[in-house]
Amino acid sequence: MTTNIPSRVRLPRPRRRLGAAAASCALLCAGLVALAAPPASAAGVCATPVVTATTTTITCTAGGAGSLTVPADVTFGQVVLDGAAGGASADGVPGGKGAHVEATLAVTPGATLNVTVGRQGGRLSSYAGSSGLGGGLVAVVDSGGTPLLTAGSGGGAGGPGIATPAFPGTPGGDSAASGAAGAGDSVGGGGGGGGAGTATTGGVGGTGASAGQVPGPNAGNPGSWPNKPGGFPSPNVYFNAGYGGQGGAGHGSGGAGGGGGVGFLPGGGQTGGAGGSGGGGTSLVSGTVPGSPSSVTDGANAGDGLIVFTFPNPKADIAVDVTAQPHLGILVPYLTYTLTANNTGPDAVTSATITAALPAGVSATDPSPGCAVSPGTVTCTYGAIANGAGASKSFRVPLHLLSLGHVSVTGTRTASAPPDPNPANDSDTATCTVVSVILAVCP
């Protein structure tokens, strides 16, 4: 079909607009940012940890990349992610909504987790047929670069078709959903919607419309990972048909919508189909605690992305108990002192140290494994102790003919993990009264 264009109408050069749009989209599509290796602390988009008596909470808001350090003695955390919504089209048709994800993530104490928190998609240009960009990536990645959690973001809305009457823009695909085809007619066809990105691959690009003078090559590009736009949205050039929406990017980010078409009819009329909308990204839930519940609610968030790491603050109260027992006789008399670490909870003990102070001039022998003797002290280290359990270590104090009077040994908890909330029971003393090498009284 040949369309006569009035001499008073000047058309822009489509190929130049295409190159400029592609270059702009390479920087702006889907609002994505590079997953660099940030410092091992709450940094970038992650706020300073908020510590209470029972939890440590770290919130990472939209705007880029950041990192956080898992608290000591913590092996899991509750993580909530909200995927970013897609951008609206030029005529205000909304983009797709992002997912809401809740999961219990297995973590290593002191490890670094990197995050990317994208914003709600905007628009590539202010042109009347502009489409919305996909929502930015929202992801938790381990220090080795492996994605652990993502929240699928929404796809951008397809641009409206400039026609008489106009074809409205096409709503963006929600997380995990394909975009929809744009509206059109036999002259100005609508572009196809982009496919949803899966948890591992990008979605397919939407097909270009084939109507009027356009043979249909104007497809959106497929999505990709890691952290790349989900294909370029089609530029807004003066063709009748709408462009296909881009595919949703893999691992969570949404695809942009295709631009709406515009063509001029004899006599100054216009016709053009609407662009297809972008596909939504799919959430990924990996690295969770076996048997723990997790949930993904697609199409739940209409704004920027967000990540409320909540780590428990484990505590274990160690009650120190020191006991003594005499072993008398003329040949090798000695006193045995036993240091017991009792875990009164609420959590398990991962390690503990009890140091025993000896009276002046008194030495120690035959310590249990894990105990070290130095002048005036015996230091014993303990491994894991379950809540409600105890662990004991002992040593001997030799007696001799001049060993008379009181022999007092005080044991004190000098270190433990996780933190001990109750210092009142951290020490205990046992005193033996020695009359001779064949007579001693211990409590």
Side-chain angles (χ1 to χ4, degrees):
M1 181 182 77
T2 300
T3 300
N4 295 321
I5 301 173
S7 60
R8 59 185 175 85
V9 177
R10 295 186 63 190
L11 294 180
R13 297 177 181 177
R15 294 305 173 193
R16 290 188 178 181
R17 291 181 63 89
L18 175 61
S24 299
C25 186
L27 298 175
L28 300 176
C29 281
L32 300 179
V33 290
L35 279 176
S41 60
V45 297
C46 296
T48 301
V50 176
V51 181
T52 68
T54 57
T55 60
T56 295
T57 301
I58 302 175
T59 301
C60 304
T61 53
S67 68
L68 58 94
T69 301
V70 177
D73 307 309
V74 170
T75 57
F76 71 93
Q78 305 295 333
V79 188
V80 174
L81 300 88
D82 284 309
S89 62
D91 59 346
V93 173
K97 295 180 180 180
H100 178 80
V101 177
E102 297 185 12
T104 302
L105 184 66
V107 295
T108 301
T112 298
L113 295 176
N114 297 325
V115 301
T116 297
V117 191
R119 295 189 182 279
Q120 180 176 0
R123 281 202 302 274
L124 183 62
S125 72
S126 59
Y127 170 70
S130 288
S131 57
L133 297 175
L137 181 68
V138 177
V140 179
V141 182
D142 68 16
S143 58
T146 301
L148 302 175
L149 299 171
T150 66
S153 294
I162 309 303
T164 307
F167 293 110
T170 313
D174 287 341
S175 55
S178 298
D185 57 20
S186 60
V187 178
T198 73
T200 55
T201 60
V204 298
T207 58
S210 179
Q213 67 197 63
V214 181
N218 308 308
N221 292 337
S224 58
W225 171 270
N227 211 26
K228 294 180 181 178
F232 297 148
S234 303
N236 301 307
V237 296
Y238 285 81
F239 290 142
N240 291 38
Y243 277 77
Q246 75 179 47
H251 284 277
S253 54
V262 58
F264 293 92
L265 297 175
Q270 294 177 319
T271 184
S277 61
T282 298
S283 302
L284 170 70
V285 180
S286 178
T288 56
V289 176
S292 65
S294 60
S295 64
V296 177
T297 305
D298 287 310
N301 182 43
D304 286 337
L306 181 72
I307 301 178
V308 182
F309 292 88
T310 302
F311 300 105
N313 286 342
K315 299 182 184 298
D317 177 32
I318 292 180
V320 176
D321 184 38
V322 181
T323 59
Q325 183 177 2
H327 299 269
L328 304 178
I330 297 177
L331 296 179
V332 189
Y334 61 90
L335 305 175
T336 297
Y337 285 85
T338 300
L339 310 177
T340 301
N342 295 302
N343 180 14
T344 64
D347 297 298
V349 169
T350 57
S351 64
T353 302
I354 296 178
T355 300
L358 306 178
V362 172
S363 61
T365 63
D366 300 295
S368 295
C371 295
V373 176
S374 59
T377 62
V378 177
T379 301
C380 296
T381 57
Y382 301 77
I385 307 173
N387 180 18
S392 299
K393 295 181 182 291
S394 62
F395 59 89
R396 295 178 180 180
V397 171
L399 299 178
H400 49 79
L401 293 177
L402 298 179
S403 298
L404 302 176
H406 301 300
V407 182
S408 295
V409 173
T410 299
T412 302
R413 181 196 65 84
T414 52
S416 64
D420 188 316
N422 178 24
N425 56 6
D426 283 0
S427 296
D428 191 34
T429 301
T431 301
C432 291
T433 302
V434 179
V435 177
S436 69
V437 293
I438 59 173
L439 179 60
V441 178
C442 296

